[in-house]
């Protein structure tokens, strides 16, 4: 068990909430009296050498790649907390949805209208952007070829712009990312329409390397459950109600989604 001189932190999540992850990182630096370093992940976490070589101390990561990674490397990462978002749809739980969006000017009103349209997605490893949709299609008995065309955008934010610009007819966006994007760019509210919410799914957690000192890990979790005034301001800005303790078993529901990803890739 080690106590690092500097906490190395990465976010594999959408960059429009990066400032929030920076606020969390800065807060931990203050309470732990440690230097911190946060950067945005630039590749799939399952392909990131920093993660594979256990060179990260903390990571903000989607639940699906996390659960898949932990099936292979079971003793490297430990879940800490996940944010609980403000809003009745979240029911005071650490959950989120995949919001299926279309251009507000289109005649697409319900999910069935998306048949034979052009669908864009951020990444095939994404739970919100791809796998929730595959789950819906398979469970409802839709055969391969529901969409006329599928194109990869590379990010939720780019998918949103492609739907607005008419490059794609529809996309499924992480509800937290979409809500933040609508706050950052209010004009999008008149350009997009949500036709269906898929999910809910467990909220992406903050995870820690298990090689760190146990008391340090406990202190990190406790500190986030008892945020100071400055972090609370950032939480309010990003519509986070509180942090909730998360265990890896809480993400077990995502194991069922992994089979939809496998089927979708065949």
């Amino acid at each position: 068990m080690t106590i690092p001189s500097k906490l190395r932190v990465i976010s594999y999540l959408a960059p429009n909430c990066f400032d929030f992850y920076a606020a969390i990182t800065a807060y931990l630096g203050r309470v732990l009296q440690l230097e911190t370093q946060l950067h945005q992940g630039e590749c799939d976490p399952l392909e990131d050498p920093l993660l594979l070589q256990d060179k990260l101390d903390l990571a903000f990561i989607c639940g699906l790649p996390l659960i898949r990674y932990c099936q292979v490397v079971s003793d490297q990462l430990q879940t800490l907390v996940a944010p609980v978002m403000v809003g009745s749809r979240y029911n005071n739980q650490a959950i989120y949805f995949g919001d299926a969006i279309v251009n507000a000017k289109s005649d697409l009103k319900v999910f069935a209208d998306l048949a034979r349209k052009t669908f864009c997605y951020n990444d095939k490893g994404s739970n919100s952007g791809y796998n929730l949709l595959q789950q819906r299609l398979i469970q409802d008995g839709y055969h391969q070829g529901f969409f006329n065309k599928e194109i990869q955008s590379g990010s939720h934010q780019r998918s949103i712009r492609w739907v607005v610009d008419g490059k794609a007819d529809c996309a499924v966006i992480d509800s937290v990312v979409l809500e933040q994007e609508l706050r950052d760019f209010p004009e999008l509210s008149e350009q997009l329409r949500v036709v269906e919410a898929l999910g809910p799914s467990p909220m992406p957690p903050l995870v820690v390397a298990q090689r760190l000192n146990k008391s340090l890990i406990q202190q990190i979790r406790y500190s986030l459950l008892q945020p100071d005034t400055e972090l609370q301001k950032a939480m309010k800005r990003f519509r986070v109600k509180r942090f909730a303790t998360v265990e890896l078993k809480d993400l077990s529901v995502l194991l069922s989604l992994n089979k939809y990803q496998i089927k979708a890739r065949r």
Side-chain angles (χ1 to χ4, degrees):
M1 301 293 179
T2 61
I3 298 179
S5 59
K6 175 171 64 176
L7 283 178
R8 298 162 297 180
V9 190
I10 192 169
S11 170
Y12 294 112
L13 305 179
N16 71 347
C17 292
F18 186 82
D19 287 350
F20 179 55
Y21 310 135
I24 294 173
T25 302
Y27 166 66
L28 292 176
R30 292 196 302 274
V31 297
L32 301 175
Q33 297 185 330
L34 288 173
E35 182 183 350
T36 61
Q37 181 183 58
L38 169 69
H39 70 276
Q40 180 71 42
E42 298 180 353
C43 63
D44 187 317
L46 301 182
E47 300 175 354
D48 190 346
L50 291 175
L51 180 62
L52 298 175
Q53 297 172 19
D54 198 14
K55 293 183 178 180
L56 297 169
D57 300 312
L58 292 165
F60 300 92
I61 184 172
C62 288
L64 184 56
L66 172 63
I67 203 76
R68 290 176 59 211
Y69 185 78
C70 289
Q71 284 185 303
V72 179
V73 185
S74 61
D75 59 351
Q76 180 180 334
L77 300 174
Q78 176 180 333
T79 53
L80 289 174
V81 299
V84 175
M85 306 306 295
V86 172
S88 58
R89 73 187 302 196
Y90 298 109
N91 197 31
N92 196 31
Q93 299 179 57
I95 58 174
Y96 74 101
F97 298 83
D99 286 339
I101 63 168
V102 299
N103 192 300
K105 295 180 180 179
S106 74
D107 59 358
L108 307 175
K109 306 294 184 182
V110 296
F111 187 85
D113 293 338
L114 307 184
R116 307 307 301 160
K117 302 300 181 182
T118 297
F119 165 66
C120 70
Y121 59 92
N122 56 330
D123 182 85
K124 285 191 174 181
S126 170
N127 181 52
S128 58
Y130 194 80
N131 289 280
L132 282 175
L133 176 67
Q134 297 300 324
Q135 178 190 37
R136 169 63 191 274
L137 294 176
I138 293 172
Q139 288 183 334
D140 287 3
Y142 291 112
H143 298 290
Q144 190 173 8
F146 176 80
F147 295 110
N148 181 56
K149 186 178 181 181
E150 296 185 9
I151 51 177
Q152 183 171 336
S153 69
S155 72
H156 277 308
Q157 289 162 283
R158 188 173 295 122
S159 291
I160 292 171
R161 294 321 189 275
W162 282 8
V163 172
V164 169
D165 295 340
K167 186 172 181 178
D169 296 305
C170 57
V172 181
I173 309 297
D174 179 315
S175 61
V176 174
V177 175
L178 179 60
E179 290 167 6
Q180 184 60 43
E181 199 72 359
L182 294 178
R183 287 192 291 272
D184 292 341
F185 304 95
E187 67 275 11
L188 291 175
S189 297
E190 299 179 356
Q191 299 172 302
L192 297 171
R193 177 169 58 248
V194 176
V195 297
E196 187 161 326
L198 307 178
S201 292
M203 193 72 171
L206 173 63
V207 301
V208 63
Q210 292 194 51
R211 58 178 158 72
L212 297 186
N213 182 277
K214 287 186 177 180
S215 63
L216 177 62
I217 293 175
Q218 292 173 352
Q219 188 177 359
I220 292 172
R221 175 183 277 134
Y222 177 79
S223 297
L224 290 171
L225 296 175
Q226 303 288 333
D228 68 2
T229 301
E230 190 169 344
L231 180 55
Q232 288 178 32
K233 290 179 180 178
M235 293 167 66
K236 184 176 181 180
R237 176 187 167 196
F238 286 91
R239 303 282 292 168
V240 175
K241 183 176 184 179
R242 64 183 178 90
F243 291 100
T245 300
V246 175
E247 303 294 341
L248 192 61
K249 64 182 180 181
D250 298 326
L251 306 177
S252 60
V253 65
L254 296 173
L255 289 173
S256 64
L257 293 178
N258 193 44
K259 69 181 180 183
Y260 296 107
Q261 181 186 48
I262 293 171
K263 287 182 179 180
R265 288 183 173 179
R266 286 176 179 171

